[in-house]
Amino acid sequence: MSPDHASALASILGDESRVLTHPQVVERLSRDFYWYSPVLRKQLDGKVGDLVVQPLSTREIQDVLRYCRTEGVPVTARGAGTGNYGQAVPLQGGVVLDLARMDRIESIEPDGVAVCQPGVRLGALETEARRCGWELRCYPSTIVKASVGGFLGGGSGGIGSVAHGALRDFNTVRALEVVTMEVEPRVVFHDGEAVHDILHAWGTNGVISRIWLALAPAVEWSQCVVAFHAFAAAFDFSERIATGASWTKRLVTTFEWPIPSFFTPVKQYAPQGRSLIFFLIASEQLSMLEGAAREAGGEVTYSSAYGGLRTLPLLSDYTWNHTTLWALKTDPAYTYLQCGFDPGQARDQMKQLRERFGHEILFHMEFMKNGTGQVFPGAIPLVYYTTEERLNDMISFCREIGVFVANPHVNNVEGGGRYRADNVQLLAKTRYDPKGLLNPGKMITFRAQEVAAATGTTR
Ligand code: FAD
């Protein structure tokens, strides 16, 4: 990419300090956590943008996109770069559009809707929401670092999903504004069903510039760890609490041994050989939960009030995809899958997986609610990686026995398992990015020439 682009973009912003060209900085801001996958590591190592631009406003996003569209320069949006599938890694160089400085929380509305810019960190939004009597409905375990825009662009759910479903469910994303990559970039408002045109599209069909996110009334939470001798008993108890409508919970995570042995900072709560459950439970139900756990044969190894994201230990730091991080610290051969077990068949499905793959797969369950209100055993099992063939064999076997897999070892929206069958994300791309300059290569069903031929477009 010509150095002229850097100076042109600096003069468009009127601030050269927000156009970053130092190779180490550009490299750092071109990466995410794709290296969790040995498959993606091979594909994405060494892929970098040419420069980084840091807009401060929607108007500046429009100005940058207008220039890049005219010059045919690819643009990859970036929040905090904590995605796991190389979503934010530019495949064809160009501009990395770093939205971290668009970090203003505009308001927490009286009806519990947060209005904010995309670069707001989820942790900051949670803190501000709680100050006003609300809290996030669901958040990834990367809450402290991850941005709201990046969560909408590349995330799915997490802590809170056991009660409120994932990001796509229950109208949690009320509305968003998106900047298009047309000759004259527009700011388009999407609400209701139309938010799904843009959600989880990895920034391939527009740059989200403003967000309306529904919150939940704040609850006083407590953390609790329960240990069981057998994984089956831990699973039964966690399922009972997760599916029991009378329990107010934000997190129900179950690990089989030896996963808890990877959690070095909280080893004292993980007796040798036991399966563990990590709970975030309403404080008013804590003693009832402890009693129920003991009756079911469990030992409560830790419980205490939860005082927010600075609480130590912070149990959520070991759940969702943080579990994989702790495993990788112990042995770099670990990787993971993202699964949904059938609530009625989960025990049998796990048995079949154990019989076929032994301890190459370790069960880490994350209970969550689906869009119809049913709580089911989601899972981010650890996988001891040997070869790509073996990994694919495991994925195929999961699907054969009815376990849903959102494959985290592919670098395109369609292959990841969260692509919308109604194609709305692709349709939005043909409207908003007809030249295919936004995060190119990540929406593989998009064909720029076909769009041009069909529409004769100069948009
Ligand atoms: P980025 O990685 O910067 O971006 C993600 C995608 O969104 C990219 O494709 C990017 O181009 C696009 N994007 C960013 N900003 C915009 C914008 N303004 N407009 C359009 N597109 C945009 N995810 C979960 O869902 N749940 C979890 O529990 C979870 N746990 C994790 C644990 C660990 C240890 C790690 C490393 C990752 C985990 N993730 C999880 C993945 C990731 O942290 C989250 O999805 C997070 O919300 C991504 O936010 P980000 O700001 O880092 O996004």
Side-chain angles (χ1 to χ4, degrees):
M1 189 168 151
S2 128
D4 295 350
H5 289 312
S7 49
L9 286 161
S11 81
I12 284 169
L13 298 187
D15 181 357
E16 63 180 19
S17 75
R18 288 189 284 116
V19 178
L20 315 178
T21 54
H22 190 290
Q24 272 171 347
V25 174
V26 177
E27 189 189 341
R28 182 171 56 78
L29 294 174
S30 297
R31 286 171 66 86
D32 64 11
F33 283 72
Y34 69 84
W35 50 267
Y36 272 35
S37 161
V39 179
L40 295 181
R41 215 182 296 145
K42 273 192 284 184
Q43 287 172 28
L44 299 179
D45 271 353
K47 303 272 182 213
V48 287
D50 294 298
L51 54 86
V52 178
V53 177
Q54 299 179 314
L56 297 179
S57 67
T58 301
R59 173 54 63 89
E60 286 191 352
I61 298 177
Q62 284 178 280
D63 293 343
V64 172
L65 295 196
R66 184 183 303 107
Y67 176 82
C68 290
R69 172 63 203 268
T70 307
E71 297 293 323
V73 173
V75 176
T76 303
R78 177 185 179 87
T82 67
N84 286 121
Y85 328 125
Q87 297 109 303
V89 176
L91 298 182
Q92 298 176 19
V95 167
V96 172
L97 193 70
D98 176 8
L99 295 148
R101 294 179 68 170
M102 286 182 64
D103 62 351
R104 198 157 52 85
I105 299 172
E106 291 179 23
S107 62
I108 307 288
E109 298 293 312
D111 60 347
V113 174
V115 187
C116 69
Q117 291 186 315
V120 168
R121 290 183 188 239
L122 287 159
L125 187 56
E126 165 81 357
T127 304
E128 179 60 13
R130 285 191 74 85
R131 217 182 46 81
C132 304
W134 301 93
E135 65 185 25
L136 295 175
R137 287 185 178 183
C138 68
Y139 58 86
S141 55
T142 46
I143 177 170
V144 174
K145 249 182 114 181
S147 71
V148 182
F151 191 34
L152 267 57
S156 54
I159 294 105
S161 289
V162 64
H164 301 291
L167 197 51
R168 278 181 171 172
D169 301 323
F170 307 116
N171 207 11
T172 291
V173 181
R174 284 287 155 84
L176 49 85
E177 274 177 6
V178 71
V179 183
T180 67
M181 188 59 151
E182 297 168 284
V183 172
E184 189 44 58
R186 290 177 295 146
V187 181
V188 186
F189 181 73
H190 283 240
D191 65 351
E193 272 300 292
V195 300
H196 298 291
D197 298 0
I198 307 299
L199 289 186
H200 207 81
W202 298 14
T204 58
N205 59 13
V207 176
I208 301 164
S209 53
R210 199 167 174 217
I211 295 148
W212 286 256
L213 193 67
L215 306 166
V219 172
E220 284 310 314
W221 297 107
S222 285
Q223 303 189 111
C224 182
V225 179
V226 184
F228 283 86
H229 284 283
F231 176 69
F235 182 76
D236 288 350
F237 185 68
S238 53
E239 182 186 54
R240 196 174 115 202
I241 305 304
T243 56
S246 60
W247 294 100
T248 303
K249 61 260 162 180
R250 208 177 191 189
L251 181 71
V252 181
T253 308
T254 314
F255 310 102
E256 74 168 323
W257 188 265
I259 298 174
S261 70
F262 305 149
F263 304 159
T264 321
V266 291
K267 252 183 23 206
Q268 65 272 38
Y269 311 123
Q272 175 73 23
R274 312 267 193 97
S275 291
L276 292 193
I277 313 174
F278 282 12
F279 290 105
L280 265 175
I281 191 89
S283 293
E284 61 187 22
Q285 294 184 336
L286 178 63
S287 58
M288 206 162 51
L289 179 77
E290 290 176 326
R294 288 187 191 107
E295 248 174 59
E299 180 192 347
V300 177
T301 59
Y302 173 80
S303 75
S304 184
Y306 170 73
L309 294 168
R310 289 174 192 271
T311 307
L312 282 177
L314 185 65
L315 293 187
S316 63
D317 269 356
Y318 303 86
T319 65
W320 290 84
N321 220 4
H322 266 77
T323 308
T324 314
L325 185 59
W326 290 104
L328 277 162
K329 282 185 187 181
T330 308
D331 186 337
Y334 278 112
T335 187
Y336 70 113
L337 288 179
Q338 300 173 144
C339 297
F341 284 79
D342 179 332
Q345 308 285 326
R347 289 167 184 78
D348 185 51
Q349 288 168 331
M350 286 191 272
K351 185 165 164 274
Q352 291 190 58
L353 278 160
R354 181 54 38 89
E355 280 167 7
R356 173 87 177 248
F357 296 101
H359 286 81
E360 272 173 69
I361 184 163
L362 294 177
F363 295 115
H364 155 209
M365 316 306 289
E366 293 288 353
F367 284 89
M368 58 192 300
K369 190 179 269 182
N370 67 20
T372 66
Q374 185 185 30
V375 175
F376 69 97
I380 312 184
L382 293 176
V383 175
Y384 202 82
Y385 181 80
T386 48
T387 65
E388 200 170 334
E389 290 67 35
R390 184 73 174 163
L391 180 68
N392 288 335
D393 186 25
M394 195 181 280
I395 293 171
S396 304
F397 186 73
C398 281
R399 289 175 175 157
E400 258 168 52
I401 63 171
V403 174
F404 168 82
V405 180
N407 188 353
H409 304 283
V410 290
N411 184 236
N412 56 73
V413 179
E414 293 90 334
R418 295 211 172 83
Y419 186 62
R420 299 258 312 189
D422 56 10
N423 266 355
V424 289
Q425 294 145 306
L426 175 64
L427 293 173
K429 185 163 177 77
T430 61
R431 293 197 303 277
Y432 296 165
D433 179 30
K435 291 277 187 209
L437 289 169
L438 288 176
N439 209 354
K442 305 283 177 63
M443 193 179 277
I444 52 172
T445 46
F446 174 79
R447 309 259 183 280
Q449 290 95 332
E450 286 172 20
V451 174
T455 59
T457 189
T458 49
R459 276 182 295 135

